[in-house]
mmCIF file of all heavy atoms in Angstrom:
data_model
loop_
_atom_site.group_PDB
_atom_site.id
_atom_site.type_symbol
_atom_site.label_atom_id
_atom_site.label_comp_id
_atom_site.label_asym_id
_atom_site.label_seq_id
_atom_site.Cartn_x
_atom_site.Cartn_y
_atom_site.Cartn_z
ATOM 1 N N PHE M 179 37.374 -67.729 -24.781
ATOM 2 C CA PHE M 179 37.949 -69.094 -24.503
ATOM 3 C C PHE M 179 39.373 -69.084 -24.891
ATOM 4 O O PHE M 179 39.787 -68.435 -25.889
ATOM 5 C CB PHE M 179 37.176 -70.136 -25.226
ATOM 6 C CG PHE M 179 35.760 -70.313 -24.670
ATOM 7 C CD1 PHE M 179 34.722 -69.766 -25.321
ATOM 8 C CD2 PHE M 179 35.595 -70.998 -23.543
ATOM 9 C CE1 PHE M 179 33.354 -69.961 -24.791
ATOM 10 C CE2 PHE M 179 34.367 -71.306 -23.011
ATOM 11 C CZ PHE M 179 33.266 -70.681 -23.624
ATOM 12 N N VAL M 180 40.186 -69.884 -24.236
ATOM 13 C CA VAL M 180 41.549 -70.209 -24.649
ATOM 14 C C VAL M 180 41.510 -71.130 -25.895
ATOM 15 O O VAL M 180 40.774 -72.165 -25.842
ATOM 16 C CB VAL M 180 42.335 -70.845 -23.512
ATOM 17 C CG1 VAL M 180 43.711 -71.243 -23.946
ATOM 18 C CG2 VAL M 180 42.382 -69.848 -22.287
ATOM 19 N N GLY M 181 42.268 -70.898 -26.867
ATOM 20 C CA GLY M 181 42.225 -71.698 -28.108
ATOM 21 C C GLY M 181 42.874 -73.076 -27.862
ATOM 22 O O GLY M 181 43.640 -73.365 -26.884
ATOM 23 N N GLU M 182 42.691 -73.963 -28.888
ATOM 24 C CA GLU M 182 43.170 -75.291 -28.803
ATOM 25 C C GLU M 182 44.622 -75.329 -28.738
ATOM 26 O O GLU M 182 45.208 -76.154 -27.994
ATOM 27 C CB GLU M 182 42.608 -76.040 -30.007
ATOM 28 C CG GLU M 182 43.048 -77.539 -29.975
ATOM 29 C CD GLU M 182 42.473 -78.314 -28.863
ATOM 30 O OE1 GLU M 182 41.425 -77.885 -28.338
ATOM 31 O OE2 GLU M 182 43.085 -79.264 -28.498
ATOM 32 N N LEU M 183 45.300 -74.457 -29.438
ATOM 33 C CA LEU M 183 46.798 -74.306 -29.427
ATOM 34 C C LEU M 183 47.278 -74.121 -28.024
ATOM 35 O O LEU M 183 48.196 -74.735 -27.537
ATOM 36 C CB LEU M 183 47.309 -73.283 -30.353
ATOM 37 C CG LEU M 183 48.797 -73.035 -30.310
ATOM 38 C CD1 LEU M 183 49.642 -74.256 -30.642
ATOM 39 C CD2 LEU M 183 49.177 -71.906 -31.195
ATOM 40 N N GLY M 184 46.643 -73.099 -27.345
ATOM 41 C CA GLY M 184 47.090 -72.892 -25.969
ATOM 42 C C GLY M 184 46.948 -74.044 -25.021
ATOM 43 O O GLY M 184 47.820 -74.258 -24.206
ATOM 44 N N LEU M 185 45.860 -74.756 -25.179
ATOM 45 C CA LEU M 185 45.689 -75.880 -24.376
ATOM 46 C C LEU M 185 46.740 -76.911 -24.547
ATOM 47 O O LEU M 185 47.130 -77.661 -23.641
ATOM 48 C CB LEU M 185 44.203 -76.455 -24.535
ATOM 49 C CG LEU M 185 43.039 -75.566 -24.077
ATOM 50 C CD1 LEU M 185 41.764 -76.135 -24.434
ATOM 51 C CD2 LEU M 185 43.111 -75.200 -22.594
ATOM 52 N N GLN M 186 46.998 -77.171 -25.846
ATOM 53 C CA GLN M 186 48.001 -78.220 -26.215
ATOM 54 C C GLN M 186 49.356 -77.862 -25.688
ATOM 55 O O GLN M 186 50.045 -78.738 -25.111
ATOM 56 C CB GLN M 186 48.013 -78.486 -27.712
ATOM 57 C CG GLN M 186 46.729 -79.041 -28.274
ATOM 58 C CD GLN M 186 46.931 -79.363 -29.763
ATOM 59 O OE1 GLN M 186 47.941 -79.951 -30.214
ATOM 60 N NE2 GLN M 186 46.011 -78.770 -30.562
ATOM 61 N N VAL M 187 49.705 -76.600 -25.763
ATOM 62 C CA VAL M 187 51.009 -76.172 -25.261
ATOM 63 C C VAL M 187 51.112 -76.335 -23.759
ATOM 64 O O VAL M 187 52.068 -76.905 -23.254
ATOM 65 C CB VAL M 187 51.335 -74.754 -25.744
ATOM 66 C CG1 VAL M 187 52.566 -74.174 -25.039
ATOM 67 C CG2 VAL M 187 51.463 -74.704 -27.262
ATOM 68 N N MET M 188 50.035 -75.880 -23.101
ATOM 69 C CA MET M 188 49.975 -75.888 -21.703
ATOM 70 C C MET M 188 50.051 -77.335 -21.108
ATOM 71 O O MET M 188 50.683 -77.592 -20.117
ATOM 72 C CB MET M 188 48.707 -75.229 -21.203
ATOM 73 C CG MET M 188 48.598 -75.258 -19.697
ATOM 74 S SD MET M 188 47.021 -74.320 -19.260
ATOM 75 C CE MET M 188 45.802 -75.297 -20.233
ATOM 76 N N ALA M 189 49.466 -78.277 -21.871
ATOM 77 C CA ALA M 189 49.372 -79.636 -21.457
ATOM 78 C C ALA M 189 50.810 -80.404 -21.583
ATOM 79 O O ALA M 189 51.032 -81.418 -20.934
ATOM 80 C CB ALA M 189 48.257 -80.484 -22.122
ATOM 81 N N ARG M 190 51.607 -79.839 -22.579
ATOM 82 C CA ARG M 190 52.790 -80.545 -22.888
ATOM 83 C C ARG M 190 54.106 -79.810 -22.502
ATOM 84 O O ARG M 190 55.214 -80.446 -22.548
ATOM 85 C CB ARG M 190 52.769 -80.806 -24.452
ATOM 86 C CG ARG M 190 51.717 -81.752 -24.852
ATOM 87 C CD ARG M 190 51.686 -81.914 -26.341
ATOM 88 N NE ARG M 190 52.836 -82.444 -26.900
ATOM 89 C CZ ARG M 190 53.123 -82.642 -28.185
ATOM 90 N NH1 ARG M 190 52.099 -82.327 -29.063
ATOM 91 N NH2 ARG M 190 54.234 -83.125 -28.639
ATOM 92 N N ALA M 191 54.036 -78.513 -22.219
ATOM 93 C CA ALA M 191 55.213 -77.822 -21.912
ATOM 94 C C ALA M 191 55.708 -78.185 -20.520
ATOM 95 O O ALA M 191 55.041 -78.459 -19.603
ATOM 96 C CB ALA M 191 54.919 -76.308 -21.901
ATOM 97 N N ASP M 192 57.035 -78.237 -20.477
ATOM 98 C CA ASP M 192 57.699 -78.632 -19.156
ATOM 99 C C ASP M 192 58.052 -77.438 -18.280
ATOM 100 O O ASP M 192 58.745 -77.650 -17.274
ATOM 101 C CB ASP M 192 58.953 -79.406 -19.492
ATOM 102 C CG ASP M 192 58.689 -80.809 -20.127
ATOM 103 O OD1 ASP M 192 57.580 -81.344 -19.846
ATOM 104 O OD2 ASP M 192 59.543 -81.223 -20.942
ATOM 105 N N VAL M 193 57.573 -76.291 -18.683
ATOM 106 C CA VAL M 193 57.915 -75.063 -17.877
ATOM 107 C C VAL M 193 56.584 -74.411 -17.622
ATOM 108 O O VAL M 193 55.543 -74.610 -18.231
ATOM 109 C CB VAL M 193 58.828 -74.116 -18.620
ATOM 110 C CG1 VAL M 193 60.160 -74.724 -18.899
ATOM 111 C CG2 VAL M 193 58.201 -73.591 -19.966
ATOM 112 N N PRO M 194 56.567 -73.494 -16.595
ATOM 113 C CA PRO M 194 55.303 -72.760 -16.277
ATOM 114 C C PRO M 194 54.938 -71.921 -17.504
ATOM 115 O O PRO M 194 55.745 -71.337 -18.208
ATOM 116 C CB PRO M 194 55.687 -71.783 -15.158
ATOM 117 C CG PRO M 194 56.810 -72.637 -14.415
ATOM 118 C CD PRO M 194 57.585 -73.202 -15.505
ATOM 119 N N THR M 195 53.565 -71.951 -17.703
ATOM 120 C CA THR M 195 52.942 -71.256 -18.875
ATOM 121 C C THR M 195 51.938 -70.209 -18.304
ATOM 122 O O THR M 195 51.018 -70.598 -17.533
ATOM 123 C CB THR M 195 52.280 -72.207 -19.846
ATOM 124 O OG1 THR M 195 53.195 -73.144 -20.240
ATOM 125 C CG2 THR M 195 51.649 -71.478 -21.021
ATOM 126 N N VAL M 196 52.129 -68.957 -18.696
ATOM 127 C CA VAL M 196 51.202 -67.834 -18.366
ATOM 128 C C VAL M 196 50.236 -67.671 -19.515
ATOM 129 O O VAL M 196 50.717 -67.398 -20.643
ATOM 130 C CB VAL M 196 51.929 -66.629 -17.963
ATOM 131 C CG1 VAL M 196 50.881 -65.525 -17.689
ATOM 132 C CG2 VAL M 196 52.849 -66.824 -16.793
ATOM 133 N N LEU M 197 48.936 -67.712 -19.275
ATOM 134 C CA LEU M 197 47.939 -67.544 -20.295
ATOM 135 C C LEU M 197 47.126 -66.318 -19.997
ATOM 136 O O LEU M 197 46.659 -66.029 -18.938
ATOM 137 C CB LEU M 197 47.031 -68.766 -20.373
ATOM 138 C CG LEU M 197 47.700 -70.052 -20.730
ATOM 139 C CD1 LEU M 197 47.696 -70.982 -19.621
ATOM 140 C CD2 LEU M 197 46.958 -70.703 -21.934
ATOM 141 N N ILE M 198 47.007 -65.471 -21.129
ATOM 142 C CA ILE M 198 46.219 -64.211 -21.008
ATOM 143 C C ILE M 198 45.090 -64.254 -22.079
ATOM 144 O O ILE M 198 45.455 -64.339 -23.279
ATOM 145 C CB ILE M 198 47.142 -63.007 -21.191
ATOM 146 C CG1 ILE M 198 48.373 -63.031 -20.263
ATOM 147 C CG2 ILE M 198 46.341 -61.747 -21.075
ATOM 148 C CD1 ILE M 198 49.424 -61.934 -20.523
ATOM 149 N N ARG M 199 43.906 -64.162 -21.651
ATOM 150 C CA ARG M 199 42.807 -64.021 -22.611
ATOM 151 C C ARG M 199 42.453 -62.559 -22.897
ATOM 152 O O ARG M 199 42.840 -61.644 -22.172
ATOM 153 C CB ARG M 199 41.511 -64.692 -22.044
ATOM 154 C CG ARG M 199 41.600 -66.188 -21.835
ATOM 155 C CD ARG M 199 40.284 -66.766 -21.571
ATOM 156 N NE ARG M 199 39.303 -65.887 -21.022
ATOM 157 C CZ ARG M 199 39.054 -65.790 -19.671
ATOM 158 N NH1 ARG M 199 39.836 -66.433 -18.807
ATOM 159 N NH2 ARG M 199 38.169 -64.959 -19.218
ATOM 160 N N SER M 200 41.795 -62.307 -24.003
ATOM 161 C CA SER M 200 41.550 -60.935 -24.371
ATOM 162 C C SER M 200 40.745 -60.210 -23.331
ATOM 163 O O SER M 200 40.957 -59.015 -23.114
ATOM 164 C CB SER M 200 40.802 -60.889 -25.769
ATOM 165 O OG SER M 200 39.554 -61.561 -25.569
ATOM 166 N N GLN M 201 39.869 -60.801 -22.572
ATOM 167 C CA GLN M 201 39.050 -60.160 -21.649
ATOM 168 C C GLN M 201 39.820 -59.822 -20.372
ATOM 169 O O GLN M 201 39.346 -59.162 -19.479
ATOM 170 C CB GLN M 201 37.850 -61.014 -21.245
ATOM 171 C CG GLN M 201 36.847 -61.101 -22.399
ATOM 172 C CD GLN M 201 35.516 -61.767 -21.962
ATOM 173 O OE1 GLN M 201 35.420 -62.336 -20.894
ATOM 174 N NE2 GLN M 201 34.504 -61.504 -22.697
#
Side-chain angles (χ1 to χ4, degrees):
F179 292 100
V180 175
E182 182 63 26
L183 173 61
L185 294 176
Q186 291 185 54
V187 172
M188 180 177 57
R190 296 175 59 182
D192 293 328
V193 297
T195 302
V196 177
L197 296 111
I198 304 172
R199 297 195 329 271
S200 60
Q201 291 190 346

